[in-house]
Structure formats: C-alpha cells, structure tokens
Amino acid sequence: ASADLDDVLGLWAGLGYYSRARNLHRAAQRVAAEHGGALPSDPAALRALPGVGRYTAGAVASIAFDRPEPIVDGNIVRVLTRLFGIEETIESPAVVKRLWGLAADFADGPQPGAVNQALMELGATVCTRRAPRCAACPLASRCAARRSGDAEALPIRRAKPQPRAVEAVAGWVVRRGRVLAVQRPARGLLGGLWELPGGELRDGEAAANAMTRTLRERLGLDIAGATPLGSVEHGFTHLALQLHVLRCEMPRGRVRLRDFAAFRWLEPRAFDALPHGAATRKALSLLRSAEAES
C-alpha cells in the first residue's frame, strides 16, 4: 500500500495486463485505509475493491474465508458445460448466468473453498481441453458430454477476431548525452509504463517520416532526420505490433506533452530502471545491439 506505483509496475514488468498491477496497488491502499490492513471476508466488500470482480471475490471469500460463494473460471466452465451438456456459446448472457447458478449450487454446502478448488483442479488435470481423461473422472457417470461420446466438442466458444496489424515507430531521442523517455497515460494499453517516444504509422508512411511527424505532433520537438536501426515485433491480445526503432539526434524545441503523462531526460542506462513493457524492452535490446556493432 505504501509502495510507489512505478516500483509496483517495475516488479510487474513482463507479465502483461498492467491494469492489474495498478488495481492491486489501489486495492492495497483501500484495504489499509478502510479495513485496518485486513482483507475483508464479505463478498460485497471484496467486490468494492479496485480490480476485484465476481470471480476474484468468490475465490477469496470461499477459499480464504470458507464463504459459500461460487467461482467460474475457464476450467470450471469446461467441467460444467460438459457435465450438463451445454451446447450454446459460453459468451451468451443466458449461458453465463446458468454457469454461475450451477457453480453456486456446488458451493452451497460444507467446505465451499475446497469444492471450488476441486472443480478447478478437475478441469486442469482431468477434464482437459484435449483428450480429457473421462475414465478417471469422479463425475463421469453424470456427464452428458461423456454420454454423447464427444467431450472435446464442449465448451462452444465464439471465434476470436484476428489481432489487428499495427506499425509504429519508437525513437532513441538523444540530446546532450541524455535520452528521452515518456510515460503513457494511467488508463489504457500499458497504462503508466515508460517507453521510447513515437506513435503509429499512417498508411503508406515511411518510418523516418512518421518519426518526425509523431515527435512534432505529440511532443513539440523537431528533428532534422532519423536513422532506422531495425524493427521488433510483439503480440498483444488484440494487436500484432511491428515497431520500427530509429535514432534521432539533437531535437529542437521544448517538450510539450500532448498524449503522454510525463517525460524524463535520462542517462541512457537509467532507462532500464523505469517500468516498461516487453515491446520497449525489445526495442532497447535492438538499440544496444546496434550500438555494439557501430
């Protein structure tokens, strides 16, 4: 609760879903301020904490405090859809409601935490996505999917959209031996993390031109040119990113933030100490390799 958010994000670096780290930090502060530093056992109080939804509240309430609260995760979804023969897409609101109701029935009895963990473990080790071990399942005699002979057909999911391909630029912007780092806004993708300045390419735009444009538009800096050093690729849940890395010397003007939360001029190695995402880490590695070869 007393930690600096940058320290929390730095420890979280590489795990993705950075909103979880920010919510964990905020939730710890709320627990310290409103609950005397002790996590509440009441499910409603748990759900009031930042980042705690129905699943997390149910897991903590049942496993830590033995409250009769249901949980529904991917493993439990697989067990329940097969057990009860649910042949509709699991994203359907009606199916979601039914799954939570079925899970609540299981949790409504002695040792709800143990029952919830058993359902998760059953899905993880026996009722697996591929080649489920039905003969070893304690629920086999009740399972609709086993009776149908095609347990792998369930659960039914909507097809996921293909990740959107995005090209962007990132600049190693050097002024009097220091490099420019910018911080993303707290909300949104990679919120609160630090990165090299840049932005997305427009259709048909060359990387060097995009670098010049994004520095001017987003930071108020002008450069005479940019030297391409190569590119790195990184996959997000919904994006397939190709990041072009360029070196930019002696930018003119004062930094005027438009889309970023903060900026720092740093000693080059100090960038490593800032919390940053995997794409930036790959870009920094490319830069170091380029420097070693030059």
Side-chain angles (χ1 to χ4, degrees):
S2 61
D4 184 85
L5 180 57
D6 271 0
D7 292 337
V8 175
L9 292 172
L11 291 167
W12 196 272
L15 297 177
Y17 298 100
Y18 289 90
S19 62
R20 294 179 179 177
R22 295 193 299 275
N23 283 331
L24 184 64
H25 186 243
R26 291 170 55 218
Q29 293 175 327
R30 289 271 294 275
V31 169
E34 300 173 13
H35 300 283
L39 202 64
S41 62
D42 178 65
L46 287 167
R47 284 195 294 271
L49 296 174
V52 178
R54 191 175 185 182
Y55 166 77
T56 301
V60 172
S62 65
I63 296 170
F65 301 110
D66 224 28
R67 294 290 192 98
E69 291 292 316
I71 59 176
V72 175
D73 73 345
N75 288 315
I76 291 179
V77 165
R78 192 162 53 252
V79 170
L80 295 179
T81 54
R82 290 173 178 176
L83 182 63
F84 293 97
I86 300 174
E87 298 182 353
E88 302 167 72
T89 59
I90 58 174
E91 295 86 1
S92 158
V95 171
V96 171
K97 182 178 180 181
R98 185 182 177 192
L99 289 170
W100 277 97
L102 292 169
D105 291 341
F106 275 96
D108 186 18
Q111 296 183 289
V115 171
N116 283 338
Q117 290 180 87
L119 285 171
M120 287 191 288
E121 192 74 1
L122 185 66
T125 63
V126 176
C127 193
T128 50
R129 288 185 64 188
R130 298 284 177 262
R133 299 189 296 118
C134 296
C137 181
L139 301 177
S141 63
R142 298 169 50 189
C143 183
R146 190 190 188 204
R147 287 196 298 272
S148 74
D150 190 12
E152 285 190 26
L154 298 177
I156 298 171
R157 293 179 170 84
R158 290 193 190 126
K160 290 184 179 180
Q162 289 295 312
R164 180 171 66 92
V166 171
E167 282 191 86
V169 290
W172 186 249
V173 181
V174 183
R175 174 185 278 172
R176 292 188 288 274
R178 291 180 174 264
V179 297
L180 181 61
V182 292
Q183 186 182 37
R184 296 178 69 92
R187 296 188 179 276
L189 182 67
L190 304 176
L193 296 188
W194 292 81
E195 65 184 14
L196 300 168
E200 289 190 25
L201 272 70
R202 293 172 177 168
D203 288 343
E205 189 176 31
N209 293 340
M211 191 76 253
T212 301
R213 175 182 58 79
T214 55
L215 285 177
R216 183 183 301 119
E217 292 177 351
R218 307 183 79 189
L219 292 162
L221 296 176
D222 285 306
I223 56 173
T227 304
L229 300 176
S231 65
V232 297
E233 295 181 353
H234 186 70
F236 297 91
T237 305
H238 60 299
L239 296 175
L241 173 66
Q242 182 179 15
L243 186 63
H244 302 276
V245 184
L246 303 97
R247 183 181 180 91
C248 312
E249 298 279 358
M250 293 303 295
R252 298 180 300 277
R254 296 180 60 185
V255 174
R256 298 189 302 275
L257 296 175
R258 178 178 175 186
D259 300 321
F260 299 107
F263 75 94
R264 295 179 188 175
W265 289 100
L266 303 166
E267 295 289 339
R269 284 289 174 182
F271 211 119
D272 294 337
L274 294 178
H276 53 267
T280 297
R281 186 167 62 251
K282 292 177 182 178
L284 291 173
S285 178
L286 175 64
L287 282 160
R288 304 270 155 73
S289 297
E291 287 179 353
E293 293 173 2
S294 62

